[in-house]
Amino acid sequence: MPELNRRLEQITDSVIGHMTALCDALPGSINLAQGCPEHDPPKAILDALVKEAAGGPQHQYAVLCGSPNLRRCIADKYSPLIGKALDPEEEVVVTCGGTEAMMAIMMAICNEGDKVIIFSPFYECYGTDAFLNGAEPIYVPLVPPAYEFDPAVLEDAFKQGGKAIVVCNPNNPSGKVFTREELLLIEELAAKYDAFVITDEPYEHIVYAPYEHVRAASLPGAYERTITCNSLSKTFSITGWRIGFVIAPPKIAEAIKLAHVFLTVGTASPLQEAACAGFSLGQEYYDELVADYAANREIICGGLDEIGLTYTLPKGGFFVMVDITPFLEKPMFKGWSDLQFCEWLVDEIGVGATPGSCFFAEPVNNLIRLQFASNAATLHEAIERFKRLKAYL
Ligand code: GLN
């Protein structure tokens, strides 16, 4: 057989996917590895989908860079939030989820030998996307448990030639919400070293008071170098619809469109039309969304407190990083990797978690990530199962 793509040999499969497969194979297990809402999307969106399904031109290809209706909805929503009148034709591209958006962005900006700065811990695909496009990641640690970065280390990464930086805000997996000051510094360094800022913001509406979501693209002078990667998955609880989007200045958006068109031709047309209904939902919808996730955070973190495990309280998103050091110090778990521990968790208590090491460039082995997007009853049951772990402490 002829040789396959050599770059793929250096890429490891999705660890979130591996943990999910283990949960799927064990009936009755609870998957806290893959962040995925258990509740239905808003009724307005489901009703719109029924209408779209009834027949019509939307069952054929959509406009390749996104349905004009959806791009208009996106431009109308984000123009005031970013503080700039966005042109839906020139500055918005609809993609197959945020994951394709990120790949299309990397395809649009990377050349062989380029360097892309990525905060570690990071969401699984960033380094892979950069690498598959010939670029080399430079990792800058967000140091647990506070997940702060050292500005000097960040500047050093730009000095090494970072032509872009990826910021996931709110951060998956750490729950960090970048402050205005941190984002201003990132934008300032990007301007100084003439780099792009890629900001990945699918959890933008899940930020817990008193913290606030600051859009990097809205900062003074930032828009021209900032590429916003986003998705409707978490905002409207439609992770399976795979609707993502990019907002970027016209020249950059043009290159992303080109990459997107050759990757996918376009995103599912009826789903794009139906998703437009979500954009008419008022502030109450967003207030309820974050209140629901705040209640879930309380269930999970309250449960962890009861068990006596330490974690970093997430400021945003629906993931929490839990420290498993107390287990790893016991003779039974001596020398175990976090992956082994997570695999054991599925078998022993029927709960899936993601080993933290898959998110870190540094050799971190003492953290696991739990998602709390499931329903309250599921989370309560997961905590009940976790209580059995006290016997091992
Ligand atoms: N974004 C979700 C998570 O981080 C799902 C990702 C996936 O299934 N690979 O868990």
Side-chain angles (χ1 to χ4, degrees), residues 14 16-17 20 33-36 123-124 172 203 234 319 359 369:
S14 163
I16 300 172
T20 296
Q34 186 184 44
C36 181
Y123 179 58
E124 282 187 320
N172 179 5
Y203 303 93
K234 279 76 183 190
F319 300 103
F359 303 110
R369 188 194 76 167

Side-chain angles (χ1 to χ4, degrees), residues 144-348:
Y147 296 96
E148 279 165 358
F149 63 88
D150 179 341
V153 175
L154 180 61
E155 176 147 17
D156 191 55
F158 280 105
K159 279 188 191 149
Q160 288 173 50
K163 88 178 279 187
I165 178 166
V166 184
V167 184
C168 179
N169 182 33
N171 189 255
N172 179 5
S174 71
K176 176 186 177 70
V177 170
F178 284 76
T179 63
R180 179 176 298 274
E181 290 65 37
E182 286 174 323
L183 292 169
L184 280 169
L185 175 69
I186 291 165
E187 288 286 353
E188 190 187 307
L189 289 173
K192 181 170 168 187
Y193 292 94
D194 193 26
F196 295 112
V197 175
I198 304 167
T199 172
D200 188 19
E201 307 187 4
Y203 303 93
E204 62 179 334
H205 292 295
I206 309 170
V207 174
Y208 308 108
Y211 304 100
E212 275 178 19
H213 180 61
V214 178
R215 291 179 176 77
S218 73
L219 296 173
Y223 185 74
E224 293 311 315
R225 63 180 64 259
T226 303
I227 305 170
T228 301
C229 176
N230 211 326
S231 146
L232 303 184
S233 289
K234 279 76 183 190
T235 300
F236 296 144
S237 310
I238 48 173
T239 57
W241 288 28
R242 313 309 303 129
I243 303 183
F245 60 95
V246 179
I247 297 174
K251 257 210 149 105
I252 306 172
E254 189 62 38
I256 294 166
K257 267 183 213 171
L258 203 58
H260 159 74
V261 164
F262 286 108
L263 272 170
T264 68
V265 172
T267 310
S269 180
L271 300 182
Q272 291 191 65
E273 297 305 329
C276 292
F279 287 80
S280 313
L281 296 165
Q283 187 55 40
E284 339 62 82
Y285 172 75
Y286 296 95
D287 293 345
E288 211 174 290
L289 184 78
V290 73
D292 285 351
Y293 282 122
N296 285 2
R297 183 180 69 152
E298 191 59 41
I299 295 169
I300 280 287
C301 294
L304 292 169
D305 287 338
E306 242 180 90
I307 298 160
L309 292 174
T310 53
Y311 56 88
T312 302
L313 184 70
K315 297 173 178 167
F318 46 58
F319 300 103
V320 58
M321 294 294 259
V322 184
D323 193 346
I324 55 164
T325 305
F327 295 100
L328 300 182
E329 282 171 346
K330 300 284 170 211
M332 176 182 161
F333 303 103
K334 257 282 152 331
W336 279 34
S337 69
D338 55 354
L339 174 64
Q340 268 174 297
F341 185 80
C342 286
E343 289 172 342
W344 174 81
L345 268 186
V346 178
D347 288 341
E348 189 62 22

